[in-house]
Amino acid sequence: MAAAERITDRLVGHGEGPCWSPTWGGLRFVDLYEGDIVTLGPDGSTSRKHYGDVVAITRPRVGGGAVVAVERGIVLEDADGELTRLPELWGPRVRIRMNEGGCDPDGRFYAGNMAYDQADGKGVGRGAVFRMDADRNVEVVIEHVTISNGLGWSPDGTLAYYNDTATGRTDVFDYSRDGGLTNRRPFAQVNDEGGTNRPDGLCVDAEGGVWMGLFGGSAVRRYAPDGTLDAVVEVGARQVTACTFGGDDYSELFITTSREGLADDDDPAAGSVFRYVPGVQGMPALPYAG
């Protein structure tokens, strides 16, 4: 089995949402419950910026800066670092927070959420996936979600892969600009009988392979475009949360991990970033057009 290289010390509590963009100098990822986005420099140095009580997602904007999902809504960051906080999508009495998402080939931003107690998404007021268009109009595009996680598009932009962790599988949608996400169906059964391999964040490579972190599974898996398991990469921390391609030619896979719920002396490498060179290239992060 291949193994990823640990490239940082323990940096974060609940690391999530890695994303590479040359517009912001390389790799960024979130320290979710600290409300910080961490930037990892090519020399291994790190810097942080605080966005709120919780920060879950960051993606580049076409004009520079970033779009960021915080606990109950979305923040726009200009190229000069100025923040614009958009209206909250739900109030503080609803115990739900943003969790994962991304942008589609047409420049629209998606942000999914989950209940703090991970309650079943079929309940009233439970999880959903929101889409924000370039004009900042927001609507719900997926309902009845429990733990909204990885979302990524195929190289030709016609398919979207999605994880609701509680289902134990990755689903695939057909995608078009006008039709949006349609025809949801199973793509790969990820969880095993023991229930330890929980599908978390994902990304898609230039050949259409789907890479995903296994929360509790100490690994990243690649599924071929036909949904068959193609590769397993061992990670030296149990709670693997997400992965993304980066580097100058998008040939490096960066992997985030979490310390959520762990004692200080348990799983010492948890909260670190790992790196793996898989021999296949990824694709640049799709940006938000607004």
Side-chain angles (χ1 to χ4, degrees):
M1 181 186 295
E5 171 194 12
R6 183 183 180 188
I7 62 170
T8 73
D9 294 330
R10 183 191 301 182
L11 291 176
V12 295
H14 187 52
E16 265 280 13
C19 184
W20 180 282
S21 175
T23 64
W24 57 42
L27 183 70
R28 287 185 178 179
F29 55 98
V30 308
D31 191 352
L32 191 141
Y33 291 113
E34 294 298 319
D36 294 344
I37 291 177
V38 182
T39 300
L40 178 64
D43 61 354
S45 63
T46 60
S47 60
R48 287 176 173 261
K49 183 172 180 177
H50 188 68
Y51 291 81
D53 292 339
V54 165
V55 61
I57 314 164
T58 183
R59 289 293 186 274
R61 296 173 70 185
V62 168
V67 56
V68 178
V70 292
E71 184 179 28
R72 295 188 294 273
I74 298 169
V75 173
L76 295 178
E77 181 174 22
D78 293 337
D80 63 4
E82 183 178 352
L83 302 181
T84 300
R85 299 185 182 276
L86 303 182
E88 291 187 347
L89 298 174
W90 59 88
R93 297 180 67 178
V94 180
R95 297 296 295 156
I96 290 177
R97 65 165 176 82
M98 289 295 193
N99 194 54
E100 254 288 8
C103 293
D104 68 27
D106 296 295
R108 301 177 290 194
F109 178 61
Y110 295 69
N113 62 20
M114 58 176 284
Y116 274 98
D117 62 3
Q118 301 186 17
D120 190 296
K122 294 182 176 62
V124 175
R126 294 302 185 186
V129 177
F130 296 82
R131 187 188 74 202
M132 183 171 73
D133 296 349
D135 62 4
R136 304 185 187 179
N137 178 65
V138 179
E139 61 181 288
V140 172
V141 293
I142 306 175
E143 295 182 301
H144 307 304
V145 170
T146 300
I147 303 175
S148 188
N149 253 311
L151 180 63
W153 271 259
S154 62
D156 66 2
T158 64
L159 300 173
Y161 301 95
Y162 175 67
N163 287 338
D164 180 351
T165 296
T167 67
R169 67 174 189 268
T170 299
D171 288 345
V172 60
F173 293 84
D174 294 324
Y175 172 78
S176 67
R177 179 182 179 88
D178 293 336
L181 300 172
T182 58
N183 191 26
R184 182 176 181 174
R185 57 206 183 270
F187 170 72
Q189 185 62 43
V190 178
N191 211 347
D192 58 16
E193 292 181 0
T196 58
N197 295 321
R198 306 177 70 203
D200 207 308
L202 65 77
C203 64
V204 184
D205 65 38
E207 297 179 358
V210 181
W211 297 79
M212 71 188 67
L214 302 183
F215 194 91
S218 303
V220 171
R221 288 182 182 174
R222 181 186 192 264
Y223 287 86
D226 64 359
T228 58
L229 179 61
D230 182 65
V232 179
V233 179
E234 184 179 62
V235 179
R238 294 194 302 274
Q239 298 181 160
V240 181
T241 54
C243 53
T244 194
F245 280 91
D248 293 339
D249 58 357
Y250 294 92
S251 65
E252 302 170 67
L253 188 71
F254 294 93
I255 303 161
T256 50
T257 62
S258 172
R259 297 203 57 77
E260 185 177 18
L262 300 179
D264 190 62
D265 59 352
D266 187 11
D267 202 1
S272 306
V273 176
F274 292 77
R275 183 181 71 100
Y276 178 67
V277 181
V280 62
Q281 289 182 308
M283 300 178 291
L286 295 169
Y288 173 58

